[in-house]
């Protein structure tokens, strides 16, 4: 029984860079040639020159928050899909609505690797409690389990008594779904006086898998792991036995950028997760998920050599309404870029005396232009059409939480 899914997981840094230098230009050329959206947004890009993450950082970001409007303008996928009806196997709908395609390749969502790291093996029966209705969750994990040689019981959500009865009858070794729903099933089994001794492993996504819940399941003899996945991208990163962050999947390239921009942040700094996928049917290039995370240094103690992220750390979309006007992280970034002295900026909104007050806190070094506070204030007013105070602070003094706009107003 192999510890690793394949040899890709333990490549050297040089092998990984070499593969990327070939694969990345090919995918960019494919996206530009076969999708209306990237034909326009990347029309002046020399695909052959984009051979590294540094080069990739110069391309525009398309954000998940843009998909609803893009899809309204061009049905069904906003011009982002390279395959059409007939070539696609299924189409799904997520809240918004946002429509997502599924191609016909096996394990389209690349879930098998993550499940393998979680201990799933050929011959396991998987009780799959992800939803099969409209959204892709159930299909994402079913496809990966079947690719591993597992058999799947498509339980979906709800009907807890019937699900417990099926588990008692079929004796699955594994569960896939959210941790909260597994706890509900286990509590229902306790109420019904049903024992489930066969269940020894679980794989979660869709919500946080917190240490207290992990320990609670371990007390029942169930070892749980988790993945970070989205309906557009499939699995982005997954947990291993090391339990030190999430290892990035081999089928995607992950960047962490400052919210509201496409600018990569330093290792360890919290920012927005931006993903480039090597999916031929839905070739998303620099897709901003709207989620916050940070890179961890080094490689995982489990031996997998790809980069690691801390996991989901909140949402990057911090748009805030101030004095009747929306202020976006992108606007803060535009204002800050006008002043090279600014290392990092954070707009804090308060309401002393029930009046909204914006203060732009700027990390700057010792070398700074004359009247810098005044010129920064003019920039933020020019961009947002609102007045703001400016506070210059030392480099490294702002919180490392990915926030560009902090709404600290109190309403009690």
């Amino acid at each position: 029984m192999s510890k690793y899914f394949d040899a890709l997981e333990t490549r050297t840094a040089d092998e990984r860079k070499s593969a990327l230098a070939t694969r990345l230009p090919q995918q960019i050329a494919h996206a530009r040639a076969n999708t209306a959206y990237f034909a326009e947004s990347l029309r002046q890009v020399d695909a052959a020159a984009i051979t590294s993450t540094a080069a990739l950082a110069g391309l525009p970001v398309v954000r998940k928050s843009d998909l609803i409007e893009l899809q309204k303008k061009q049905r069904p996928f906003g011009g982002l899909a390279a395959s059409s009806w007939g070539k696609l196997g299924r189409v799904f709908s997520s809240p918004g609505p946002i429509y997502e395609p599924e191609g016909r390749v096996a394990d389209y969502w690349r879930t098998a690797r993550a499940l393998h790291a979680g201990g799933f093996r050929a011959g396991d029966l998987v009780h799959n409690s992800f939803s099969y209705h409209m959204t892709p969750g159930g299909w994402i994990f079913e496809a990966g389990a079947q690719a591993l040689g597992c058999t799947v019981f498509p339980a979906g959500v709800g009907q807890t008594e019937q699900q417990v009865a099926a588990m008692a009858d079929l004796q699955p070794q594994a569960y896939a779904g959210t941790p909260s729903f597994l706890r509900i099933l286990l509590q229902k089994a306790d109420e019904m006086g049903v024992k489930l001794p066969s269940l020894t492993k679980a794989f979660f996504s869709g919500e946080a898998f917190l240490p207290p819940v992990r320990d609670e399941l371990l007390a029942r003899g169930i070892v749980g792991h988790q993945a970070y996945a989205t309906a557009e991208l499939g699995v982005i990163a997954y947990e291993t036995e090391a339990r030190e962050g999430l290892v990035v999947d081999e089928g995607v390239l992950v960047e962490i950028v400052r919210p509201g921009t496409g600018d990569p942040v330093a290792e360890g700094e919290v920012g927005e997760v931006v993903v480039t996928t090597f999916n031929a049917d839905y070739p998303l290039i620099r897709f901003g998920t709207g989620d916050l995370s940070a890179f961890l240094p080094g490689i995982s103690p489990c031996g997998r050599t790809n980069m690691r992220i801390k996991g989901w750390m909140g949402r990057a979309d911090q748009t805030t309404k101030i004095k009747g006007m929306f202020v976006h992280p992108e606007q803060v970034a535009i204002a800050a870029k006008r002043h090279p002295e600014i290392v990092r900026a954070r707009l804090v909104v308060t309401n002393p005396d029930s009046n909204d007050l914006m203060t732009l806190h700027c990390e700057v070094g010792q070398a700074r232009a004359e009247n810098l506070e005044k010129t920064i204030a003019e920039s933020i007013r020019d961009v947002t059409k609102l007045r703001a105070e400016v506070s210059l602070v030392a480099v490294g003094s702002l919180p490392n939480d990915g926030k560009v706009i902090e709404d600290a107003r109190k309403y009690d």
Side-chain angles (χ1 to χ4, degrees):
M1 185 183 299
S2 174
K3 175 180 177 181
Y4 302 115
F5 183 73
D6 58 26
L8 295 178
E9 296 182 358
T10 55
R11 288 180 288 179
T12 65
D14 286 343
E15 289 172 330
R16 207 174 284 283
K17 287 180 182 178
S18 177
L20 183 64
T22 300
R23 202 175 185 191
L24 190 55
Q26 291 174 345
Q27 182 70 342
I28 292 170
H30 170 71
R32 192 173 61 184
N34 295 282
T35 73
Y37 180 88
F38 290 113
E40 173 61 25
S41 69
L42 303 180
R43 68 185 185 281
Q44 296 182 331
V45 172
D46 177 8
I50 312 301
T51 59
S52 66
T53 52
L56 182 67
L59 303 188
V61 174
V62 54
R63 289 190 159 80
K64 182 169 183 171
S65 56
D66 299 329
L67 289 186
I68 295 175
E69 289 305 313
L70 287 173
Q71 292 188 0
K72 284 179 181 178
K73 292 176 183 176
Q74 186 168 353
R75 299 292 187 187
F77 305 117
L80 290 158
S83 298
S84 56
W85 307 140
K87 293 183 179 180
L88 299 173
R90 297 185 182 91
V91 59
F92 300 98
S93 176
S94 295
I98 295 173
Y99 297 102
E100 300 99 8
E102 180 189 18
R104 292 184 179 275
V105 299
D107 193 22
Y108 173 84
W109 311 97
R110 307 174 323 282
T111 321
R113 183 184 305 280
L115 293 174
H116 184 274
F120 286 46
R121 294 294 184 270
D124 286 343
L125 173 61
V126 180
H127 186 96
N128 187 7
S129 285
F130 281 109
S131 174
Y132 281 84
H133 179 64
M134 290 196 182
T135 59
W139 304 98
I140 289 174
F141 286 88
E142 176 172 306
Q146 290 188 342
L148 283 178
C150 302
T151 299
V152 177
F153 180 75
V157 295
Q159 299 178 308
T160 54
E161 289 190 10
Q162 291 94 322
Q163 291 210 34
V164 169
M167 295 172 87
D169 291 340
L170 298 174
Q171 295 291 300
Q173 292 80 32
Y175 165 92
T178 62
S180 60
F181 193 68
L182 177 56
R183 295 178 75 201
I184 289 171
L185 290 177
L186 293 172
Q187 290 164 6
K188 178 59 70 174
D190 292 343
E191 292 172 13
M192 296 168 62
V194 172
K195 302 295 184 183
L196 301 172
S198 66
L199 189 63
T200 59
K201 44 197 164 186
F203 202 88
F204 306 118
S205 193
E207 64 184 41
F209 179 38
L210 301 174
V213 179
R214 182 188 66 199
D215 295 342
E216 177 186 328
L217 294 178
L218 278 174
R220 290 179 176 263
I222 302 170
V223 178
H225 292 82
Q226 62 184 319
Y228 167 41
T230 73
E232 297 80 19
L233 301 159
V235 171
I236 298 170
Y238 58 91
E239 189 175 34
T240 73
E241 70 273 14
R243 298 195 187 279
E244 291 189 14
L246 305 181
V247 177
V248 171
D249 181 71
E250 299 296 331
V252 296
L253 176 62
V254 171
E255 302 171 86
I256 306 292
V257 308
R258 197 170 310 287
T261 77
D263 303 333
V265 300
E267 184 180 87
E269 186 174 340
V270 177
E272 182 182 8
V273 178
V274 169
V275 179
T276 295
T277 176
F278 296 99
N279 182 330
D281 296 295
Y282 202 30
L284 298 174
I285 308 297
R286 299 204 86 200
F287 182 76
T289 63
D291 295 326
L292 294 173
S293 193
F295 284 128
L296 292 174
I299 65 172
S300 172
C302 73
R304 292 171 178 84
T305 56
N306 208 351
M307 62 186 73
R308 294 176 297 156
I309 60 174
K310 287 186 177 180
W312 189 82
M313 299 176 68
R315 293 292 294 166
D317 185 4
Q318 300 151 26
T319 298
T320 305
K321 197 171 189 178
I322 305 166
K323 295 183 178 179
M325 297 182 65
F326 285 104
V327 177
H328 306 272
E330 293 91 338
Q331 293 174 298
V332 177
I334 289 169
K337 281 185 175 180
R338 295 182 178 183
H339 306 277
E341 299 96 335
I342 299 177
V343 176
R344 194 151 53 118
R346 180 188 187 98
L347 187 69
V348 179
V349 188
T350 56
N351 57 343
D353 301 319
S354 300
N355 293 315
D356 288 349
L357 173 65
M358 299 197 317
T359 303
L360 187 66
H361 297 264
C362 304
E363 289 186 358
V364 296
Q366 293 300 315
R368 59 186 70 170
E370 239 183 285
N371 300 317
L372 183 59
E373 293 101 323
K374 181 182 177 182
T375 57
I376 293 174
E378 290 170 351
S379 293
I380 194 70
R381 185 180 182 186
D382 180 51
V383 173
T384 67
K385 311 308 178 188
L386 294 168
R387 294 180 183 275
E389 294 185 359
V390 174
S391 173
L392 304 183
V393 299
V395 174
S397 61
L398 294 178
N400 180 24
D401 56 8
K403 286 187 178 181
V404 174
I405 300 177
E406 177 187 354
D407 191 343
R409 290 173 289 191
K410 297 179 180 178
Y411 299 99
D412 43 313

